[in-house]
Amino acid sequence: MYYFDSHTHYNDRRFREDLGEVLGRVRAAGVLRDTIIGYDPESSLLAVRMAEEQRSSGDGKDVSPAGPDAAYPKDAPLHTAAIGIHPLHTGDAEEEDLIRMEILAEDPAVVAIGEIGLDYYRKTPDMIIDKERQQYFFRKQIRIARRAGLPVVIHSRNAAQDTIELMEEEKASEVGGVIHCFTYSSEMAKRFVGMGFCLGIGGVLTYPASKKLKEVAGCIPLEHLVLETDCPYLSPEGHRGERNDSGGLKAVARALAELRGMPVEEVCRITWENACRLYRIEGAAYPEGS
C-alpha cells in the first residue's frame, strides 16, 4: 500500500534535529508523496525551497529546518509545496507579504495557496480574535489563488458559516481545493463538497469521541476525501501527545476503510488519486502491483 500525505509541516522546527531519519522512515512505510504546507511567509518559503532542492539537486541534501547541510535519504517522499498565511498568523502579516506570495506562486513547486482561512477558536476567554483582519487576508489570498490558477488549502475552526459565505463571495469554487482537518457537520460537509472541494481526513478520525467526523467520512463520496496528517500535529489514537509524521496515515487509512467497509488498499488508491487531482499533479499514477 502507498500513501499521499496531502498536508504536512516538515518545515516545522520540531523536525529540526532528525528530519532525514523521519523522511526515510515514512518513505519505507509507503508514503511516496506529500505536500509541505506553509503557514506564514517564512514557512512558505521554506516549503518551496525544500521541494525545489529535492527536485533539482539530486545530491541527498535537503533545505530543511536544520539548515542547508542536513542530509536526508534521496528516496524521501516527493515533496510539493503550498504557500499561505494561516489565520492565526495574520496579526503579523503585511501587504508586502501578499505581494511576495503572488510572485512565489509562480514557482513550479507550488501546487496550492494555503493554509489560509478563518479561526475563531479562543484558547482562553480573554483571547482576542480579529475576525475582520482574518477575513481580509483570507479574501486576498483566495484572489491570489484565482489569479494563479491554484487550488486553496483552507483552515476553518469555529467559523463554518463565515468561511463558506466568504468562499462563495470570492468565487473559491473556480479554483477548488480542500477543507483541511474537517470537523464540521455532515450538512456543512455537503455544502463544501457541492462547491467542488475535498475534505482533509486525518488522525482525528481515529479518536473514539469523533462521532461527527465519522459520520461525515462515512457518508461523503470517497472521491471527495484526501488523507492528511497535519504532522507534527494530530497524532492518531494511541500516540496522542506525541510528534506526528506521515507514518500516521496508516492508522487513518485503516480507520476510514473499516468505517466504509472496504479494503484499505482501495482507500489508499482512491485518496492518492484524489490528492493528485486536487493538486493537479500529472503523471503520478498510484503504483501498480501494490
Side-chain angles (χ1 to χ4, degrees), residues 101-250:
M101 182 187 300
E102 188 137 23
I103 296 171
L104 192 58
E106 299 176 2
D107 192 292
V110 176
V111 296
I113 301 298
E115 65 189 275
I116 64 177
L118 303 175
D119 191 325
Y120 297 166
Y121 176 72
R122 298 179 187 272
K123 294 182 179 180
T124 61
D126 59 345
M127 182 177 179
I128 298 175
I129 301 294
D130 191 337
K131 295 183 179 181
E132 184 175 344
R133 187 171 182 84
Q134 287 191 20
Q135 292 172 13
Y136 174 82
F137 277 92
F138 190 19
R139 289 182 187 277
K140 287 285 190 175
Q141 291 179 98
I142 292 177
R143 294 172 190 177
I144 289 174
R146 290 180 60 203
R147 287 193 292 269
L150 293 173
V152 288
V153 178
I154 293 179
H155 171 109
S156 180
R157 188 176 188 187
N158 286 21
Q161 192 61 37
D162 280 0
T163 298
I164 202 162
E165 288 180 0
L166 193 149
M167 288 169 62
E168 290 172 343
E169 291 170 7
E170 295 298 331
K171 302 178 182 179
S173 60
E174 292 185 1
V175 291
V178 57
I179 310 301
H180 154 63
C181 191
F182 189 84
T183 55
Y184 294 134
S185 68
S186 57
E187 289 76 16
M188 189 60 67
K190 292 172 184 176
R191 290 187 65 183
F192 284 118
V193 167
M195 296 176 68
F197 276 72
C198 291
L199 308 180
I201 305 297
V204 177
L205 185 68
T206 68
Y207 301 169
S210 61
K211 295 180 180 179
K212 187 164 58 175
L213 179 58
K214 287 181 172 65
E215 178 183 347
V216 168
C219 73
I220 295 299
L222 190 57
E223 288 71 20
H224 288 282
L225 305 182
V226 292
L227 300 183
E228 61 175 37
T229 58
D230 198 25
C231 64
Y233 311 103
L234 297 179
S235 295
E237 187 67 21
H239 299 277
R240 296 173 73 171
E242 301 175 15
R243 184 188 67 176
N244 198 12
D245 62 45
S246 295
L249 284 188
K250 281 191 171 184

Side-chain angles (χ1 to χ4, degrees), residues 43-53 81-83 104 107 109-110:
S43 64
S44 294
L45 180 59
L46 183 54
V48 175
R49 291 176 62 199
M50 290 172 72
E52 281 182 337
E53 184 75 5
I83 59 173
L104 192 58
D107 192 292
V110 176

